[in-house]
Amino acid sequence: MRALLSMLMTWLLAGAAVAQTRHVAIELVAETVRPAAGSSVTLAFASTPEREWHGYWINGGDAGVPTVATWTLPAGVTAGPLQYPVPGRLLVSGLMNYVYERPYAHLVELRVPAGLAAGTRLPVRVALDYLVCTVEICVPEKQTLTAELTVGDGAIEPATRVRFDGWRRAMPKPLGSRASFAAADGRFRLAVPFPADATLGEAYFFPLVGGAIDYAAPQVVTRDGDRLIVETKAATIGTPPATLDGVLSTGEGQGFALRAVPGSIAPPTGGGDLSWRAALIAFAGAVLGGLLLNIMPCVFPILSLKALSLARSGADAKAARSEALAYTGGAVLACLGLGVAILALRAGGNAVGWAFQLQDPRVIVVLLALTVGIALNLSGLFEVPTPRFASENGAGGAFATGALAAFVATPCTGPFMGAALGAALVLPTVAALAVFAGLGLGLALPFLAVGFVPALRRRLPKPGAWMERFKRAMSVPMWLTALALAWVLGRQAGVDAMTWGLGAALLVGFALWLAGRRQARGLGAGMAMTAALVLAIGAAAGVPREAQAVAGAPAKGDEAFSETRLAALRAENRPVFAYFTADWCLTCKVNEAGAIDRAAVRAAFDTGKVAVLVGDWTDGDADLGRFIERHNRAGVPLYLWYAPGASAPQVLPQVLTPGMLTALAAEWRR
């Protein structure tokens, strides 16, 4: 230790003699320069080290010191602690340093007091003291940075949001489960709960304080079922901490913040890279989730009529197999297309998930027009010659039908899908795309079975007049779907946008009525159908955007979700039920009506003083998207139960029952 301190002092004295050239360029960036009164605003210290220079993590390892921020703030404004991204490692002369050699950013939360008038100036001044080094020399540096904030509406510029999304991704995410550690006979072992199906890169444990491990000693990481075992040389100096905080890096600048307590650690029973198993489990979940999508009201009519079309046509085995494969190809390619879009947008810094396109009112208008068109077709108003849809035969029509079924199924997330698609977002790209393909395969499985299993085709009802009546009946769920989409449009973008969408649907319906009239006279209907398509696209492009409305307020007694409010409620030792929903999510609305908003459940929550937090993701709020992602979900619904004193939430199933929620409310009091 003395030699280390002597070396550090030598570096510092040598650095003091160097001309005051700053070797780390630091920019102070506010996520919004117009924070709302009573809210928080995130500031970033965007730092770029010169080549061959590096800054330090909060624990520098064998050498290095943390950054110190000294604030000068307006009255009532408070600053939280510096948040550090996941660090890297640099071994110099046998000494391990925890460093940043590439551009990085510290984040800090400023709390703006309530009651400030709009336009109030909030000048921010901060002095940063930090250490920068090369492998040969260290230099203490100091910079004073300023920012001019003004109380306003809290709006965030899109380009700034993208920058902060990137910086937040580099922050360690809460692990959510308590780890344990043990030191004996000069060896240190850390057991970390980590799902066997979760992807893991090059793992490394960074302790927040000294006294636990020998920083420079190599670490051996073993996977053992649903845990990781990290083993290394124990520290020979310093006092082991009573609890050990740190960061488990999982590779590529990603990691988890964890807390470990002393405990016995059973030896591993096996190890190895299980990412292939994670991919297979996610694929199986996606197939099952896609299969269940077939019972949704917007998909079932399409599947039913496509299957019955085989009975009507009397297609032979070869034609049936051809149509089944084409239908499957359409569904798989549509889901793959959505998967590629999601992964590309996330790579660009956007917090998006399954059904992300429904956060755009223009997509809702297109879906509304499309659903109205399908409903009119099923009602017998017109027939679609090209492309062929549910009642038409041929491989081309089957392919289009499969793609259509996948597209209109996007508002739904059912059992198995949430975990599967959440896993897809952390799997390697090829494996992730395989999961999205599995969703399309599951969606196509019933029709695939009909096409390839003659016994199933023989069990289909014989053709007859009843098929036309059944077709008309199947228009009812499509009309209900159109009604739901109009409601979503109004909630998402306001009454003007809803009126615009309904007007567009009316014009599309009129154009298709003309097409049906021409077909009845034996004339071509291509011009009228083209007009309907142009009207739908034009209406989507022109949907009013200025008067977008915030999605509905939480029910009486509930509160809008924020991580700040969640932390406050947990500090009060209250049980918390947090659920994340969207107006376009059918599964969410079914759970809310059938389980969450039931009188018995609300009474149990009131008796147990359960706080209910509602995260509305209708408009794709980026903060909610990041929070949902941290819980390994690709979208909504997400249901979390925070029991008092628990270190992590319980992730509830995506299909809720009243009994499940009332039992949770009663259980913690026993």
Side-chain angles (χ1 to χ4, degrees):
M1 174 62 75
R2 290 180 181 175
L4 175 60
L5 291 176
S6 176
M7 183 182 299
L8 181 58
M9 289 302 297
T10 301
W11 283 346
L12 291 174
L13 291 173
V18 177
Q20 292 301 308
T21 300
R22 288 170 179 158
H23 299 287
V24 176
I26 304 178
E27 177 190 7
L28 178 58
V29 184
E31 189 166 19
T32 175
V33 295
R34 301 183 299 277
S39 69
S40 295
V41 56
T42 305
L43 302 183
F45 297 103
S47 305
T48 306
E50 286 185 354
R51 185 178 180 183
E52 299 183 355
W53 290 81
H54 56 263
Y56 285 92
W57 190 47
I58 188 171
N59 175 10
D62 283 322
V65 294
T67 298
V68 176
T70 305
W71 296 89
T72 303
L73 299 170
V77 178
T78 57
L82 287 181
Q83 302 170 35
Y84 287 74
V86 178
R89 292 170 282 155
L90 179 64
L91 189 64
V92 181
S93 301
L95 300 177
M96 177 61 74
N97 299 262
Y98 298 153
V99 301
Y100 303 107
E101 298 181 275
R102 298 177 180 177
Y104 62 100
H106 297 97
L107 300 182
V108 64
E109 296 288 327
L110 287 190
R111 182 68 185 176
V112 180
L116 297 181
T120 301
R121 293 178 60 254
L122 299 174
V124 174
R125 181 183 178 91
V126 58
L128 295 181
D129 291 275
Y130 55 95
L131 183 69
V132 290
C133 298
T134 68
V135 295
E136 298 174 345
I137 189 172
C138 286
V139 178
E141 292 186 351
K142 182 171 184 175
Q143 293 192 43
T144 299
L145 305 170
T146 61
E148 187 71 29
L149 308 181
T150 304
V151 176
D153 58 4
I156 301 174
E157 296 293 333
T160 304
R161 185 184 294 278
V162 169
R163 295 184 73 185
F164 273 83
D165 284 348
W167 291 327
R168 285 192 175 99
R169 281 197 299 274
M171 295 291 162
K173 302 173 178 64
L175 181 65
S177 300
R178 183 167 293 182
S180 58
F181 72 94
D185 301 324
R187 301 298 294 174
F188 170 90
R189 300 175 73 208
L190 173 72
V192 182
F194 200 83
D197 57 356
T199 307
L200 181 69
E202 182 183 1
Y204 189 90
F205 176 64
F206 295 90
L208 201 62
V209 296
I213 69 171
D214 183 333
Y215 295 131
Q219 298 183 5
V220 178
V221 180
T222 305
R223 299 200 76 157
D224 182 43
D226 287 325
R227 67 173 183 165
L228 295 179
I229 305 296
V230 180
E231 186 172 358
T232 187
K233 182 180 178 181
T236 56
I237 56 175
T239 303
T243 59
L244 180 59
D245 293 301
V247 169
L248 177 71
S249 171
T250 55
E252 298 183 359
Q254 303 294 300
F256 293 91
L258 61 85
R259 170 164 291 182
V261 297
S264 61
I265 300 176
T269 58
D273 183 8
L274 302 181
S275 59
W276 61 270
R277 184 181 299 174
L280 286 177
I281 293 173
F283 178 83
V287 172
L288 287 173
L291 181 62
L292 291 175
L293 284 180
N294 285 286
I295 64 175
M296 297 299 175
C298 49
V299 178
F300 181 72
I302 298 173
L303 170 66
S304 300
L305 294 171
K306 189 60 195 167
L308 290 176
S309 72
L310 286 179
R312 171 185 289 174
S313 66
D316 58 25
K318 181 178 179 181
R321 289 194 296 269
S322 175
E323 287 198 39
L325 290 174
Y327 182 93
T328 303
V332 169
L333 285 180
C335 289
L336 275 175
L338 288 171
V340 168
I342 289 172
L343 296 177
L345 287 170
R346 292 176 65 85
N350 296 283
V352 300
W354 178 249
F356 72 96
Q357 69 275 21
L358 299 179
Q359 296 160 0
D360 190 329
R362 293 171 295 189
V363 177
I364 300 294
V365 171
V366 170
L367 271 175
L368 175 59
L370 178 62
T371 306
V372 167
I374 296 172
L376 292 174
N377 174 246
L378 297 177
S379 300
L381 188 70
F382 73 101
E383 295 296 331
V384 183
T386 303
R388 299 180 177 96
F389 286 123
S391 61
E392 298 297 321
N393 302 314
F399 181 89
T401 305
L404 174 67
F407 185 65
V408 300
T410 52
C412 304
T413 302
F416 306 104
M417 275 184 62
L421 297 181
L425 300 183
V426 297
L427 287 170
T429 301
V430 174
L433 292 177
V435 173
F436 284 103
L439 180 63
L441 176 61
L443 186 65
L445 270 180
F447 191 66
L448 195 63
V450 169
F452 276 81
V453 180
L456 290 178
R457 290 199 303 278
R458 287 194 296 269
R459 288 181 178 272
L460 291 175
K462 299 299 181 182
W466 70 269
M467 295 182 67
E468 286 302 314
R469 293 193 295 271
F470 182 77
K471 180 179 176 181
R472 304 292 186 267
M474 287 296 98
S475 70
V476 175
M478 297 309 299
W479 283 118
L480 292 175
T481 301
L483 182 63
L485 288 168
W487 176 78
V488 169
L489 187 60
R491 297 263 293 180
Q492 187 179 73
V495 66
D496 289 347
M498 182 178 68
T499 304
W500 182 276
L502 290 173
L506 179 62
L507 291 175
V508 167
F510 180 71
L512 294 177
W513 173 77
L514 288 178
R517 296 284 292 175
R518 290 183 60 82
Q519 288 175 334
R521 298 196 301 268
L523 302 175
M527 186 68 72
M529 292 186 180
T530 301
L533 178 63
V534 171
L535 283 170
I537 296 174
V543 65
R545 306 276 292 177
E546 297 79 359
Q548 281 193 342
V550 177
K556 184 178 180 180
D558 298 351
E559 299 180 67
F561 176 86
S562 73
E563 294 190 63
T564 301
R565 183 56 181 153
L566 173 63
L569 289 168
R570 299 202 69 197
E572 297 172 8
N573 209 36
R574 287 186 62 184
V576 179
F577 174 59
Y579 71 92
F580 301 84
T581 181
D583 287 340
W584 38 260
C585 171
L586 178 62
T587 307
C588 303
K589 296 307 169 187
V590 170
N591 281 328
E592 288 159 33
I596 298 173
D597 292 329
R598 300 291 291 271
V601 173
R602 290 297 179 169
F605 282 178
D606 290 341
T607 302
K609 299 188 183 304
V610 177
V612 179
L613 299 181
V614 184
D616 196 312
W617 205 43
T618 299
D619 292 331
D621 179 83
D623 290 335
L624 284 181
R626 287 186 289 267
F627 185 85
I628 292 167
E629 177 187 347
R630 291 205 300 268
H631 291 80
N632 297 321
R633 288 293 184 270
V636 290
L638 171 65
Y639 305 105
L640 302 176
W641 174 262
Y642 294 85
S647 60
Q650 178 183 351
V651 181
L652 303 181
Q654 289 184 293
V655 176
L656 301 178
T657 64
M660 182 190 306
L661 297 179
T662 54
L664 286 171
E667 180 180 354
W668 78 271
R669 300 196 306 275
R670 290 201 291 265

